[in-house]
Amino acid sequence: VKKTHLLGGTRLFFRGHTAIVYPGVHYRARLHRGATMYRLFRYFGILDQLKMQRLDEDGFDVIRFDDGDTYPIPQGYDAFIRTLSARFPGEAPAIRAYCKKIQEICRSFPLYNLDAAAPDYLLKEDLLSLNAHAYIASLTDHPRLRNVLAGNNSFLYAGVREKTPFYLHALIMNSYLSGAYRMVDGGSQIAIRLSQQIRRHGGRLLRHSEVTGALYGPSGEIREVVLRDGRTVRGRNFISNLHPAATISVFGEEKFLPAYRNRVRNLENTISAFIVHLVFRENAFPYLNHNLYQYHGDDVWAGIDYDPATWPGQYFVSTPAQSRNPGFADSMSVMCYMRFSEVARWADTFNTIAKPGTRGADYEAFKRKKEEQVILQIEKVFPDIRSQVKAVYSSTPLTLRDYIASPEGSLYGILKNAAHPLKTIVSTKTKIPNLHLTGQNVLQHGILGAALSGLVTCFSFVDRPSLIRKITES
């Protein structure tokens, strides 16, 4: 059951000025033969139908600072160590130790490796509680190297200096170092292919169908969910991929223990974003087969504490891959941090394609002002870009909130906290006996994190080792 007419969460798209713009960041990992996502997509029966393109081997990410220095992040551990050691003479031991720790953590996470023989699927608590900033700082006193090693923390998981655990950084970095890809013609193809497989196996997809409540049986189990239009859907088991706080609101506060409600609602969520989509004139801007992380300050962890007067101090740049004219970019997405407080005055509004609404002229003026601030910063890196743009679109934390029901438009859901690691990992099981949770708030965000969270949800219904063996042997 899906509230909007499009499937796939942030893997949406819209058409503007003859170009198809993909609001989601289409940046995938572990899609090479034998890797976790490769095996999952093969098990789902969609692998051969996906159009993928491997990013630049010698720099799938580029970390750039205000002084103009750039640091390409190559694919593969050997290349990573060799490249950064050349840029930071004398720091090779720190770089090797960083890579070794990443690999140690990844080997210790059975589910990440689809290990059917492991007795559990989570990391040990001592690895969950290792702080990312503190660990990187312990390896080297070189400030620029510290920033480069954590350089893609900001827009891959919205890192917070005092809280983000190193395991989150490690799993993501290992994934991309092992193989970084873009989906050609957008990530929405994943949702489309999965929906076809669901229908092929007898499933039914209900779009434009918002769940607003439930009817319960004598033992407290859900018999039917109630849709906004009054229809009901009967079932034996129900799975919600909403944020746990939103799930509580939908199914009734009285159905959950007060301690659980308070815990979930007091969990901190990751920051939101303002995303600018630039649509280019034909053959005007070359396609970039890498991502750019631009920092106009000297601290890659400082983005969430930005000053609105100097915003954006850091941003992420991506040009979606497209098959129609592969040498040039149709569009560019520029993602910047934005606190919900900046749009809180319009919090009572709602606007999606399925349920159109207006936020008013002052909101549109706010967006135009923010778009201009972003373009002024982008021009420092791409001086001629303004002349190459024919249209500008943007989305705010309200957009993310309305489309994916994430509290205050949180980018990656619940903020993981190394100081309280188990508190920020949410169980898939709830007090309602046949209601289960899944999605980015359960285990980890991103398409791989959400897929692994989905597996954890499945373990309530099927034998874990048997399911993992089916995936790895398919």
Side-chain angles (χ1 to χ4, degrees), residues 176-239:
Y176 287 114
L177 287 172
S178 301
Y181 299 80
R182 280 200 185 124
M183 308 305 296
V184 179
D185 298 329
S188 59
Q189 61 183 288
I190 298 174
I192 292 169
R193 298 304 183 191
L194 284 173
S195 67
Q196 291 169 345
Q197 287 295 91
I198 291 171
R199 293 188 179 99
R200 179 170 170 262
H201 287 86
R204 183 183 174 201
L205 297 168
L206 300 181
R207 296 185 284 186
H208 289 291
S209 303
E210 181 181 357
V211 176
T212 58
L215 301 176
Y216 293 89
S219 301
E221 78 283 3
I222 299 171
R223 290 192 292 108
E224 300 171 278
V225 292
V226 179
L227 307 184
R228 183 166 293 282
D229 62 7
R231 290 179 296 158
T232 61
V233 179
R234 183 178 292 271
R236 286 185 299 175
N237 289 287
F238 297 85
I239 299 171

Side-chain angles (χ1 to χ4, degrees), residues 101-218:
K101 191 66 174 180
I102 288 176
Q103 291 170 307
E104 174 196 339
I105 286 176
C106 292
R107 284 194 301 268
S108 302
F109 197 164
L111 189 60
Y112 178 80
N113 299 296
L114 296 177
D115 182 359
D120 199 359
Y121 56 83
L122 285 176
L123 282 166
K124 294 182 174 61
E125 191 168 354
D126 61 328
L127 294 177
L128 292 172
S129 61
L130 182 62
N131 177 277
H133 174 269
Y135 177 72
I136 292 172
S138 75
L139 296 175
T140 176
D141 294 326
H142 198 298
R144 178 56 61 87
L145 177 57
R146 288 181 176 182
N147 278 327
V148 171
L149 293 178
N152 55 15
N153 88 79
S154 51
F155 298 106
L156 285 180
Y157 52 85
V160 177
R161 184 195 315 270
E162 301 82 9
K163 298 176 181 178
T164 298
F166 187 71
Y167 84 83
L168 189 62
H169 177 90
L171 295 174
I172 292 171
M173 276 301 295
N174 181 75
S175 296
Y176 287 114
L177 287 172
S178 301
Y181 299 80
R182 280 200 185 124
M183 308 305 296
V184 179
D185 298 329
S188 59
Q189 61 183 288
I190 298 174
I192 292 169
R193 298 304 183 191
L194 284 173
S195 67
Q196 291 169 345
Q197 287 295 91
I198 291 171
R199 293 188 179 99
R200 179 170 170 262
H201 287 86
R204 183 183 174 201
L205 297 168
L206 300 181
R207 296 185 284 186
H208 289 291
S209 303
E210 181 181 357
V211 176
T212 58
L215 301 176
Y216 293 89

